[in-house]
Amino acid sequence: MLDQQPEQGRRKYLLHLEQTLYRFALRLCPQPFRDLYRDGMVAMFDLRLREVRTTSGSVGSLAFVVRELVGLIVVALKQRVRDFNPAYRRRVPHAARTERHFMSALAQEIRHAARRLIKSPGFTAATVVTLAVGIGANAAIFSVVNSVVLNPLPYPDSDRLVWLDHGAPGIGTPRGLDMTSGLYVHYRALNKTLEEVAIYFDADLSLTGDGEPERVNASLATHTLFDVLRVPPLIGRWLTDADDYSGGTGAAVLSHQLWSTRYGSDQSIVGRTIQLDGTPVEVVGVMPPDFGFPSRDTQLWIPLVVDPATARFGGFNRHGIARLKPGFEPADAQVDIESLIPRLTEAFPGSASQSVVNDARLSSIVIPLKEQEVGDIERTLWILVGTVGIILLIACANVANLFLVRAESRQREIAVRKALGADRGQMVLHFLTESTMLAVAGGVIGVGLALLGVHVLVNFGPASIPRLHEVAVNGTVIAFTGGISFATGILFGMIPSTRAMPHLVASLREGGRGATAGHTRLRARNVLVASQVALALILLVAAGLMTRSFWHLINIDPGFESKSVLTFQVGLSTSDHPSRESAVAFHQELMDRLNGLPSVELAGAVTCLPLCGAWAGSPLYVKNSSPEPGVIPPVVAHRRVSAGYFETLKVSLLSGRTIELQDQQQRNGAAVVNAALVQRFWPGQNPIGKMVYHGGEPSENNWYTVVGVVENSPIRNLTDDPSPTIYLPLLHSDSTRGVSPQVLTYVVRTSTPPLELARTVRREVWAMNPNLPIARVQSMEQLVSDAGIQMAFTMVLLALAAAVALLLGAVGIYGVVSYVVSQRTQEIGVRVALGAQARQVSSMVLKHASTVALVGIGAGLIGAFVLTRFMRTLLFGVLPVDPVTFVVVPALLLCVNLLASYVPARRAARIDPVEALRSE
């Protein structure tokens, strides 16, 4: 049974985190206020948070927490002003008078802060831009996480939707067996935890009439899919039980996209007859524009006929979803279905069910549908959230340094304010107003940057990101942006107020030469810069690991040569080609036409290309090596290929020969296997001549003879381990061998650019059948490139984040070193006057910069060593503690920091001692 605790644990963790944030924010309030009101406020917050979580989910609770935190911060500011202002310490007879006093003081501070910021355009621009980059990056990535991970699925009560899967530990398949029509009937009739069950599978069909022939992506689904998802059509109706048992695919529901593009949003489409694979089908409905199940590429839905009297137990190739009854969790449904599996041997008597249930140890897997749809991308997105969070921290450290310098340059002003009666509470309000205005300005610009970033992500992001079309900068994202803007503003405003209030006499005494930064102030800036360096190092290491992974991925040998190869799919309708002989004849003629084209070097066909994402397999029996009783032979992948397929893709032949034309025509039972299968069954032996059977129980007349061994090719994606695979002849008319060749994928090696050949290929197909479309036209190079698009996407985002972090880190250390040089001008002048050489002065400055950088690099290495372990599932061919990355990145970062320190070091070496002493 699959453990259901991680999802519940994640919810409990988020609830605990939100409660902890509120309790931490309460600490901003004065101690007397906390003693009086804390318990009641905490209890009320916890109660309302649980209510919001129940009614609005994670997104609603997040918005609620942000509102409460902002309100609490305002309350804390008011209380602090009351504590530090004698006027507030006295009992005020009317609360309204107190409120007006506070708002009047706040309005005055806002006006003064605005004037100060306008008079310092350089400081203001640098601060706002730095914050805008950090806040905008966080808002953009949070938009993706909010839409993909946090938001519920766009179905009513979507938290009750579950995915039905199965595993078979007895044959080494922990999950991924999906459903069968027999299991669908069995579970619907006997389960106690599911309101309704539906199964479906995808297929490409030829749509003709009303324009050029088109290959469309269809979903064959049971009529119960509506009862599971509960999304009504925009017009017309959904499929019904009558459609299921009407004797064929006599009804269809169109997607909004297909309805609008091909039929011009014609309201009279319902009741019209269209042609699908040459079969007349009546359109009964059109779905709303935001409905895209099982994917946004699905263009229509037709009924999947399941007759309980003839439902098959085998064929685990139907996807299953269900809706839980109220009060049940996925774990309850899994236990329920698990109890029904032993009864399959009674419902479907025979050796097949007994073998799967007892020998393969069929098990049930029930998980939330959202978890299935999001898949592995959730970990990637949370890593990106952490990445942009680090960017914001680096930006905060940079701005904090600016605020420290600005606060120290205003020591005389602060001292004068203190002498005129201002207390610490008023000074806190003074700094918080200025910093919050800067943070809000950065947040506003950050929202604009987030809008741009989301537009780029939606239009150019990888299609492997689920629900990408739902990503938008909505109210929740703006509330999140406002929350982090206020938080950063308060952080910056509190930094100057944590320093000791300057004494008037001391500040005026230092006025002639400026406020000298003591060791404490310099140490604070050094800590901030070291933190920037450490955080930048973590991002650079992460980007380096992803870059090395992507380098390994694009340089992996897929076992074939993808250059100059065009691929496309041809699907024949049963109305035009009702027999296997007719379909075989069509494909043979098309193959001959393709091989006769001047620019075509060779052509072949296959049931499923490498990297097609599908895995089909069956147990493999080896003659004279029968498995022990109760043991199912290993399951291996299989592909049906035509003569010329291996030669077209230039798959390396390791021994023997490949599939030839005579193997198809004479039906002599030839088979080709890959190196992984040889290693699995015959390590150290010659496999040529071995007799195997792939499928159900073997008989004397249906064995295959291994005639060749080829190099391994990936089945689903480039990062998979090589799967044992058997290749069988495709185009022959013997119905006892092979599958129906209605739908085949062609590979054509050409001397011209592959996509330029597509028009010629389409002309040849239409010459044979003008109503036959070709689909999935692309080059093999593009197919291989798309296999690594998600890793490339993650790598690019991490690389951009690392580049920004490196830039901000370099700017930070440049600013600190420059400030140190300016503060030590007199000291350096004295050193030069006493005979110090320019080289010695430069070395002194560079030593200080390198010390700060090395401290940051040391801390960053520790952080990277811990945090990169969470990237393990994203990496390929690289360890999370890759030695090359952990050596090269710190060296690069140290060089960049020394380079940033070179300019102020050189300026220090050129200080004129006379001018330096005269300025004293």
Side-chain angles (χ1 to χ4, degrees):
M1 292 176 57
L2 186 69
D3 187 6
Q4 300 294 328
Q5 296 304 316
E7 176 66 20
Q8 298 175 2
R10 187 173 71 87
R11 294 175 182 173
K12 291 181 180 178
Y13 173 76
L14 290 176
L15 179 63
H16 175 71
L17 178 61
E18 291 165 342
Q19 293 171 335
T20 303
L21 285 175
Y22 187 81
R23 286 164 171 77
F24 181 79
L26 269 173
R27 301 182 65 182
L28 296 174
C29 298
Q31 184 65 40
F33 180 87
R34 295 203 305 270
D35 294 341
L36 187 60
Y37 298 110
R38 184 183 63 179
D39 294 341
M41 293 177 67
V42 168
M44 181 59 68
F45 174 82
D46 291 348
L47 177 62
R48 294 184 60 192
L49 177 61
R50 293 180 186 277
E51 292 176 350
V52 172
R53 269 196 165 274
T54 303
T55 57
S56 304
S58 300
V59 177
S61 69
L62 177 63
F64 169 75
V65 170
V66 170
R67 290 195 302 269
E68 290 296 313
L69 290 178
V70 172
L72 185 58
I73 290 169
V74 172
V75 171
L77 289 176
K78 293 180 180 180
Q79 296 300 323
R80 290 292 181 184
V81 170
R82 291 190 180 118
D83 282 355
F84 288 118
N85 193 333
Y88 284 105
R89 293 195 189 104
R90 295 190 297 268
R91 298 183 61 87
V92 181
H94 301 289
R97 179 180 172 185
T98 303
E99 187 74 19
R100 286 195 300 270
H101 187 94
F102 174 79
M103 296 306 297
S104 175
L106 181 61
Q108 184 179 10
E109 285 294 347
I110 291 175
R111 291 193 296 271
H112 291 170
R115 286 197 291 267
R116 290 194 302 271
L117 294 177
I118 292 174
K119 292 180 179 180
S120 305
F123 167 79
T124 303
T127 303
V128 170
V129 170
T130 302
L131 290 177
V133 171
I135 294 174
N138 276 268
I141 297 300
F142 179 76
S143 298
V144 181
V145 173
N146 179 54
S147 299
V148 176
V149 179
L150 300 180
N151 273 352
L153 296 176
Y155 313 113
D157 298 322
S158 63
D159 58 324
R160 290 166 53 196
L161 297 177
V162 293
W163 177 264
L164 304 181
D165 198 1
H166 295 83
I171 57 175
T173 306
R175 62 175 302 173
L177 286 183
D178 286 332
M179 289 276 288
T180 71
S181 58
L183 293 177
Y184 164 73
V185 173
H186 188 65
Y187 294 162
R188 281 194 74 200
L190 301 177
N191 89 85
K192 300 176 181 178
T193 56
L194 305 176
E195 277 191 0
E196 190 52 275
V197 181
I199 59 173
Y200 67 93
F201 70 95
D202 296 332
D204 288 335
L205 302 176
S206 296
L207 175 61
T208 54
D210 297 308
E212 290 187 356
E214 181 181 358
R215 197 76 174 161
V216 295
N217 182 263
S219 179
L220 282 75
T222 57
H223 71 280
T224 53
L225 185 63
F226 174 80
D227 298 309
V228 173
L229 298 180
R230 297 181 180 178
V231 177
L234 180 67
I235 58 175
R237 64 172 176 85
W238 181 253
L239 307 171
T240 66
D241 190 24
D243 296 320
D244 270 3
Y245 296 100
S246 60
T249 55
V253 177
L254 306 184
S255 71
H256 191 276
Q257 184 269 338
L258 181 64
W259 175 56
S260 59
T261 56
R262 188 175 181 93
Y263 301 104
S265 302
D266 185 0
Q267 295 287 334
S268 64
I269 188 67
V270 175
R272 185 185 303 181
T273 299
I274 61 176
Q275 298 287 326
L276 287 176
D277 273 0
T279 301
V281 174
E282 179 186 354
V283 176
V284 298
V286 176
M287 296 305 291
D290 57 348
F291 183 80
F293 184 87
S295 74
R296 297 294 296 180
D297 297 329
T298 305
Q299 296 170 280
L300 55 85
W301 295 263
I302 57 178
L304 174 60
V305 178
V306 179
D307 187 348
T310 59
R312 295 175 59 247
F313 168 76
F316 290 83
N317 53 9
R318 303 289 190 262
H319 306 303
I321 64 171
R323 177 174 287 274
L324 294 169
K325 291 180 179 179
F328 289 100
E329 296 292 330
D332 302 322
Q334 180 165 316
V335 173
D336 181 24
I337 292 178
E338 194 76 28
S339 68
L340 300 178
I341 290 178
R343 301 171 63 178
L344 287 169
T345 55
E346 302 174 7
F348 302 94
S351 59
S353 62
Q354 292 180 359
S355 178
V356 172
V357 172
N358 299 325
D359 302 335
R361 303 197 302 277
L362 184 69
S363 61
S364 169
I365 298 173
V366 180
I367 60 175
L369 180 61
K370 182 179 176 181
E371 181 180 324
Q372 171 65 23
E373 289 203 359
V374 173
D376 295 336
I377 196 66
E378 181 174 0
R379 176 179 287 269
T380 301
L381 292 178
W382 283 119
I383 288 176
L384 292 177
V385 167
T387 298
V388 295
I390 291 177
I391 287 289
L392 182 59
L393 289 176
I394 295 175
C396 290
N398 240 351
V399 175
N401 254 326
L402 291 175
F403 265 77
L404 283 175
V405 173
R406 181 175 173 82
E408 289 169 6
S409 66
R410 297 170 60 190
Q411 292 294 297
R412 292 182 62 194
E413 174 193 342
I414 297 172
V416 171
R417 281 174 171 264
K418 180 183 177 182
L420 294 177
D423 56 22
R424 181 175 290 275
Q426 291 173 318
M427 295 310 302
V428 168
L429 182 63
H430 171 81
F431 286 115
L432 283 179
T433 304
E434 184 176 285
S435 63
T436 303
M437 290 179 65
L438 289 169
V440 169
V444 171
I445 299 176
V447 170
L449 294 177
L451 288 169
L452 178 62
V454 166
H455 176 76
V456 173
L457 286 174
V458 171
N459 288 277
F460 301 102
S464 58
I465 298 181
R467 309 177 68 187
L468 190 60
H469 64 283
E470 301 177 25
V471 176
V473 179
N474 52 25
T476 302
V477 175
I478 293 177
F480 170 81
T481 306
I484 60 175
S485 298
F486 275 108
T488 53
I490 291 172
L491 175 64
F492 303 144
M494 295 301 292
I495 287 176
S497 63
T498 59
R499 319 305 291 271
M501 295 284 287
H503 194 275
L504 177 62
V505 176
S507 296
L508 294 177
R509 185 180 298 148
E510 295 174 349
R513 55 186 178 85
T516 304
H519 290 293
T520 302
R521 296 173 183 173
L522 184 58
R523 184 163 53 248
R525 282 192 291 274
N526 287 340
V527 169
L528 288 172
V529 172
S531 302
Q532 287 180 275
V533 172
L535 294 172
L537 178 70
I538 293 174
L539 288 190
L540 286 169
V541 168
L545 291 174
M546 287 303 302
T547 302
R548 281 178 54 78
S549 295
F550 187 69
W551 176 258
H552 282 291
L553 186 68
I554 62 176
N555 285 280
I556 192 175
D557 181 11
F560 57 87
E561 186 176 315
S562 61
K563 189 177 181 180
S564 301
V565 175
L566 175 71
T567 72
F568 60 92
Q569 187 184 87
V570 173
L572 306 180
S573 65
T574 54
S575 60
D576 292 336
H577 303 277
S579 66
R580 182 181 180 85
E581 291 78 5
S582 173
V584 167
F586 178 92
H587 286 298
Q588 288 285 18
E589 181 182 350
L590 178 58
M591 194 77 67
D592 293 338
R593 283 175 173 265
L594 294 176
N595 281 311
L597 294 175
S599 58
V600 172
E601 299 177 4
L602 201 58
V606 64
T607 51
C608 190
L609 284 171
L611 303 173
C612 67
W615 194 98
S618 298
L620 184 73
Y621 294 84
V622 178
K623 200 165 190 177
N624 300 325
S625 179
S626 301
E628 298 178 4
V631 176
I632 298 179
V635 175
V636 302
H638 66 84
R639 293 287 189 268
R640 294 277 178 170
V641 300
S642 72
Y645 167 78
F646 294 110
E647 289 76 11
T648 302
L649 286 184
K650 295 186 177 181
V651 178
S652 300
L653 179 64
L654 303 180
S655 64
R657 63 176 179 85
T658 60
I659 300 295
E660 298 176 352
L661 190 60
Q662 63 180 0
D663 299 322
Q664 299 170 175
Q665 295 174 341
Q666 298 176 5
R667 302 181 295 282
N668 56 12
V672 173
V673 298
N674 70 348
L677 189 144
V678 174
Q679 183 63 30
R680 174 66 179 82
F681 287 90
W682 308 292
Q685 302 180 39
N686 181 12
I688 306 301
K690 299 288 186 180
M691 302 289 289
V692 298
Y693 179 79
H694 188 258
E697 292 291 340
S699 63
E700 289 298 326
N701 300 319
N702 55 12
W703 290 90
Y704 289 92
T705 303
V706 176
V707 299
V709 180
V710 296
E711 187 58 81
N712 298 322
S713 295
I715 297 292
R716 285 179 292 199
N717 54 64
L718 287 171
T719 59
D720 279 347
D721 293 330
S723 297
T725 307
I726 183 170
Y727 299 91
L728 305 177
L730 173 65
L731 296 178
H732 53 68
S733 58
D734 187 353
S735 60
T736 63
R737 289 178 180 269
V739 294
S740 176
Q742 300 295 126
V743 180
L744 293 182
T745 300
Y746 283 79
V747 289
V748 182
R749 183 165 293 277
T750 173
S751 56
T752 62
L755 294 181
E756 292 183 5
L757 183 65
R759 182 174 299 178
T760 304
V761 169
R762 186 175 285 106
R763 186 171 60 247
E764 293 295 329
V765 172
W766 285 352
M768 299 175 63
N769 186 344
N771 292 323
L772 186 62
I774 65 173
R776 303 187 183 184
V777 180
Q778 63 180 333
S779 67
M780 199 68 189
E781 281 186 297
Q782 184 62 45
L783 184 67
V784 175
S785 175
D786 289 344
I789 190 66
Q790 184 169 316
M791 183 178 290
F793 169 76
T794 307
M795 180 199 69
V796 169
L797 289 184
L798 283 177
L800 289 174
V804 173
L806 186 63
L807 176 62
L808 291 177
V811 169
I813 201 165
Y814 170 83
V816 165
V817 174
S818 296
Y819 187 77
V820 169
V821 170
S822 67
Q823 295 299 308
R824 299 178 65 181
T825 299
Q826 291 81 17
E827 174 194 343
I828 294 173
V830 172
R831 287 175 177 267
V832 173
L834 295 177
Q837 301 295 317
R839 179 176 57 81
Q840 294 173 312
V841 174
S842 299
S843 298
M844 178 186 67
V845 176
L846 290 176
K847 180 180 178 181
H848 171 80
S850 60
T851 300
V852 174
L854 287 173
V855 171
I857 288 174
L861 284 174
I862 296 174
F865 182 81
V866 174
L867 296 177
T868 52
R869 296 177 182 275
F870 294 99
M871 298 179 59
R872 185 182 299 274
T873 57
L874 305 182
L875 304 178
F876 175 69
V878 178
L879 294 174
V881 288
D882 177 52
V884 175
T885 304
F886 273 76
V887 170
V888 172
V889 168
L892 172 65
L893 187 58
L894 181 61
C895 291
V896 170
N897 280 280
L898 290 177
L899 184 63
S901 309
Y902 174 74
V903 173
R906 188 177 180 184
R907 185 170 64 246
R910 294 180 175 180
I911 289 177
D912 186 346
V914 176
E915 294 294 329
L917 295 176
R918 181 179 299 160
S919 65
E920 178 67 25

